Amino acid sequence: MKRKSMALLFVLFLLLSGCVHPDKSSDRESPDVVYKYIGYVVKNKPDQLLVTAFSSNASSQSEAIWVRTQKQYGLGTKVEVEISGEIETSYPGQAAAKSIEMIKADSPQGADITAEYIVARALNHFKDSSVPVVKAVEYLSSEKLWRVTLFDDAQSNHSEHVLVFTQDGELNK
C-alpha cells in the first residue's frame, strides 16, 4: 500500500511539473524594473497624459505612452516619466506613472519666451493629430523666430509640419 501511494505521488508530481512553463517567469518583467521616458506632454485628460518623444537614433524614431497620473501638466511641458510595472503594448502604450519630473525649459539667448510655451502653441495648431510628436524645436536668433517641426505618429506617412512663430509666440504666416 505504501509503495502504491509513493508511486502515485511520484506520477502526480511528474504530471504537475509538466504543466509548469519555465519560460513564463522570463516573459514577465520584474516589478522593480523601471522604465524612463523623456518627452513632451502632447495631450492631457483628467487622469492621463500622452507623452511622446522623438529620437533620430532609434529605429522606431518615436515613442508614445498614455501615462496614468493624478498630476496635471500643460501641453508642451517636457517631462521625465518613470514607470514601474507593466506597460500595455497598445499604441500608444499605457502605464501608471511611478513618478513624473518636469524638465525646466529655459529661454534661449535673445528669446523672450520658453520652448515649452512655443511647443504648446504649436500643439494647439496641430489639434487634429492623433499622436503628435515634436521632432524639433529651435530658436532662430538672427531672425527672432521659433521653428517647431511636428508629425502625427498615427499616420503611416509621417509627413512633417513645420510651424514658425514670431518672438512673441504668434504664428508667422
Side-chain angles (χ1 to χ4, degrees):
M1 178 76 170
K2 212 174 202 184
R3 283 186 169 212
K4 284 185 179 181
S5 296
M6 291 299 276
L8 183 61
L9 281 174
F10 182 72
V11 170
L12 186 58
F13 174 75
L14 285 176
L15 287 173
L16 289 175
S17 65
C19 295
V20 175
H21 296 271
D23 294 334
K24 196 79 162 172
S25 62
S26 64
D27 287 345
R28 287 188 156 188
E29 293 296 335
S30 170
D32 58 345
V33 173
V34 175
Y35 299 94
K36 289 187 179 184
Y37 290 93
I38 295 177
Y40 290 98
V41 174
V42 295
K43 291 191 176 196
N44 48 20
K45 295 179 181 177
D47 60 344
Q48 289 184 319
L49 303 171
L50 179 57
V51 178
T52 63
F54 176 80
S55 172
S56 58
N57 299 333
S59 59
S60 65
Q61 293 192 12
S62 63
E63 295 179 338
I65 188 163
W66 279 105
V67 180
R68 291 184 296 278
T69 181
Q70 296 303 312
K71 293 183 178 181
Q72 288 298 305
Y73 294 91
L75 290 181
T77 305
K78 194 167 192 178
V79 293
E80 178 180 73
V81 179
E82 281 191 3
I83 296 168
S84 180
E86 293 186 22
I87 299 174
E88 295 176 29
T89 58
S90 59
Y91 192 78
Q94 298 179 41
K98 178 179 179 183
S99 69
I100 300 176
E101 295 289 326
M102 188 171 105
I103 298 173
K104 178 138 174 52
D106 294 325
S107 294
Q109 184 78 24
D112 295 333
I113 52 181
T114 64
E116 179 180 331
Y117 178 78
I118 288 299
V119 171
R121 299 277 297 152
L123 289 167
N124 282 327
H125 288 282
F126 204 58
K127 284 183 181 179
D128 294 336
S129 173
S130 298
V131 184
V133 176
V134 179
K135 182 176 180 181
V137 181
E138 55 189 329
Y139 179 67
L140 310 169
S141 58
S142 61
E143 301 170 43
K144 296 190 185 268
L145 294 174
W146 287 89
R147 182 174 29 216
V148 181
T149 307
L150 307 119
F151 63 90
D152 187 346
D153 206 29
Q155 294 184 357
S156 58
N157 64 359
H158 287 172
S159 62
E160 294 181 1
H161 299 270
V162 178
L163 300 172
V164 178
F165 295 88
T166 63
Q167 172 86 356
D168 58 354
E170 295 302 316
L171 188 62
N172 191 20
K173 296 184 181 194

